Amino acid sequence: MKTLKSGESKSWLFMRGSGFLMPSLVLGHLIIQHLLNDVHNLEAEWVADRWDKTGWRIWDGLMLLLAVGHGLNGTRYVIDDYVHDPYFNRVAKQGVSVLALLLVAAGVAGLVAFDKDTVLKKLEE
């Protein structure tokens, strides 16, 4: 049996782990947002109250990181399958990585910088 390189085995394990955790997080999110709460009452104030608690920010941040990481890793596999030229393979992977970093940076910035009072004040304006 052929052994995988260290990076490839970690990548394989990440795909399995994130693929296991994401459905639990997403289903929990959907149940809380759409079944336990009336969807007609989902307003900015409700989201502001929810994000005012650190646990919900961690939950949403974990969903963000796992989804982007899982998608980036899967895209890397697709690039390896279809882009055979080493230069274009590397450029494609770097482009996708930059996009992933921008998505994570924007999402984490929103989670970290969120301030309930500021949001509610802007909603009143």
Side-chain angles (χ1 to χ4, degrees):
M1 183 166 139
K2 183 179 173 184
T3 58
L4 296 173
K5 295 184 290 185
S6 175
E8 285 299 314
S9 61
K10 289 177 185 174
S11 173
W12 185 88
L13 285 173
F14 174 76
M15 289 299 273
R16 279 26 181 204
S18 63
F20 177 76
L21 286 174
M22 277 191 303
S24 303
L25 292 169
V26 171
L27 284 173
H29 172 85
L30 289 172
I31 289 168
I32 292 165
Q33 296 277 109
H34 302 288
L35 294 177
L36 297 179
N37 295 297
D38 184 8
V39 294
H40 296 95
N41 293 332
L42 286 180
E43 297 175 347
E45 291 85 4
W46 188 85
V47 175
D49 286 337
R50 186 173 164 262
W51 269 20
D52 197 36
K53 297 168 184 69
T54 305
W56 288 117
R57 289 191 205 187
I58 292 171
W59 181 295
D60 288 345
L62 191 56
M63 277 195 308
L64 169 73
L65 293 174
L66 287 174
V68 172
H70 190 91
L72 174 66
N73 201 23
T75 304
R76 186 181 64 82
Y77 288 140
V78 171
I79 290 169
D80 281 342
D81 285 346
Y82 290 102
V83 182
H84 302 294
D85 182 89
Y87 173 76
F88 289 117
N89 185 292
R90 187 174 61 252
V91 168
K93 286 180 184 177
Q94 288 172 347
V96 170
S97 295
V98 168
L99 179 61
L101 286 173
L102 290 172
L103 287 170
V104 168
V108 169
L111 288 168
V112 170
F114 176 81
D115 179 50
K116 179 182 174 181
D117 296 329
T118 304
V119 169
L120 294 176
K121 194 179 296 183
K122 287 189 180 201
L123 288 172
E124 292 173 2
E125 293 175 356

